[in-house]
Amino acid sequence: MTSSAYSREIVLDKMTQLNLDLLIIGGGITGAGIALDAQTRGIDTGLIEMQDFAAGTSSRSTKLVHGGLRYLKNLEFKMVAEVGRERAIVYENAPHVTTPVRMMLPFYKGGTFGSFTTSIGLSIYDRLAGVKKAERRTMLGAKETRKKEPILAGKNLRGAGMYVEYRTDDARLTLEVAKTAAEKGALLANYVKAESFIYDNGKVIGVVARDMITDKAINIYAKKIVNATGPWVDHLREQDRSKTGKTILLSKGVHVVLSKKRLPLQQAVYFDTPFKDGRMMFAIPRGDKVYVGTTESNYDGDPREPGVTADDIDYIVKATNAMFPGYHIAADDVESSWSGLRPLIHEEGKDPTDISRKDEIFHSASGLMTIAGGKLTGYRKMADSIVTLVAQELEKETGVKYKNCQTKNLVLSGGDVGGSQELKSFNETFVRAGMKLGLDGKTSRELVERYGSNVSQVFTYLDDDEAEQFQLPKAVWASLRYALEYEMALTPVDFLLRRTSYMLFDIDKARENKNAVVEAMSEKLHWSEEEKTKRIAELNDMWKIMIPDQ
Ligand code: FAD
């Protein structure tokens, strides 16, 4: 099947006509990973997502494919080893959305860690996580640390440990997994909400779902149903009357985006906050911007949009100024921001910072399976564990045998660049190709880095007359056409936020093109005036939440 906006209705028709082997509710990284794993084992799989793919937590993370260093602090050795292995697999299968960055871990006189403990900690981490030789930790003295990152606070600085993290684009990673699942035959549709379950003799056999675009109710039947709704898992367990025992605690985390002109950070840094709350923050350069986060606080409001408060901004700004004094960052400097919810498994009496990020599977008497917790990084392993259970149950009930997990060496959509070692030369070749097609170097690189091996398809749209017709720059039009034809983008926010990140890291481009994007999508998707008004309102609402008035 394809993941085109134009074939979404066909996908939905098929879903309603078949009795699927497996229906997944939730199109974040967890659900998308399960869809890919299941479909490639031969299980006929469908997935519905009530918003856009990755619109929940999976576009609102720190955007790191982690090696799991923080688990070391909690002595979760098994977790460090597993997450480290998974990180290497994600990198190999999707090198275009995972970029190794050297992370600096500075230490100060009187701080929690000194040179010795940092060095020992990082080398244990290297071993447990199976870190490649070239990426193992190095230690720097105070002088070298300041040379590498001159804007770091110098007072009492003793040195730094350097290790490697992998920066990603969480929403695009989710999309690439979802697209690959669709390429393998899974049926995936966004903007379809599971509203209630259908039972037969106490066993769940389907869902009544609502197409949020047409407002039509549809029934989807499946032999097995997995609840992969992240922050919403307990809502569905409640509907299934199976919310017992452990529950989900939502912990909110905010990040802000600053211009590099205001905070000229050269180097990613993982640092202690100055608040003596035992928390650490990331400051990560990305193109012309730097993003900083995260906060961590309990949340019990509507999971759809946890929002960013003045206190959230204040916390991050103060921590930034303490670590990088001399730039006097203020709330006004924040260009954009995002807020996400960690769905943590609640253990009585524990603070969110201490609760383990492990995933768990809950099996209800009705047969509904729920998977919760976990990390972006571990999505493949989580999928493996739950699909193995699904396959066992299906085998018992139908006698059909399914393959073992197939995803370890499965290259994701866009990752076909000849292996991670070849990424650099792949990128250079295609950046030049884009320039020959009339793009400037920066824009060509932006497209190549965003789309990986799918960039050749995007390039074929550069010559379209429609760019001029819709008054969009060629590269923006080509990205939009690709988002419509291959990535099921249905709204301007889907495109400007999750397909391109313009609303996070290129506000000017988002601002300059948003009206033209609305016009182009309206024409391509045949919106009524009413629908167009709705989409514009959605965009304006999201803009207000993320982007302060300037
Ligand atoms: P979600 O992405 O929330 O997906 C669930 C989906 O279900 C949603 O899209 C929702 O719309 C949909 N849904 C809900 N109800 C219904 C319904 N009735 N019908 C249909 N669909 C429905 N992990 C890392 O590995 N690295 C990091 O750097 C990192 N940083 C983080 C920073 C923060 C601030 C936070 C909050 C998390 C971070 N994580 C990180 C964790 C990671 O982001 C999450 O574990 C992961 O994204 C959860 O994905 P999910 O698919 O389970 O949930």
Side-chain angles (χ1 to χ4, degrees), residues 25-31 48-52 54-66 192-195 228-232 236 251-255 294-295 340-343 373-378 382:
I25 307 171
I29 191 71
T30 308
I48 52 172
E49 160 56 53
M50 70 173 178
Q51 309 180 77
D52 182 26
T57 307
S58 299
S59 58
R60 297 157 178 264
S61 76
T62 308
K63 308 184 191 302
L64 291 173
V65 177
H66 271 303
V192 180
K193 180 178 182 182
E195 289 193 324
T229 56
W232 290 263
L236 274 85
S251 159
K252 180 174 115 166
V254 170
H255 292 80
T294 166
T295 59
L341 294 174
R342 299 174 191 84
K375 303 282 291 175
L376 199 72
T377 313
M382 282 171 78

Side-chain angles (χ1 to χ4, degrees), residues 273-294:
T273 68
F275 310 115
K276 309 260 177 268
D277 55 4
R279 300 209 55 257
M280 293 185 77
M281 268 195 193
F282 290 98
I284 302 174
R286 180 172 161 146
D288 303 334
K289 312 289 174 190
V290 173
Y291 66 95
V292 190
T294 166

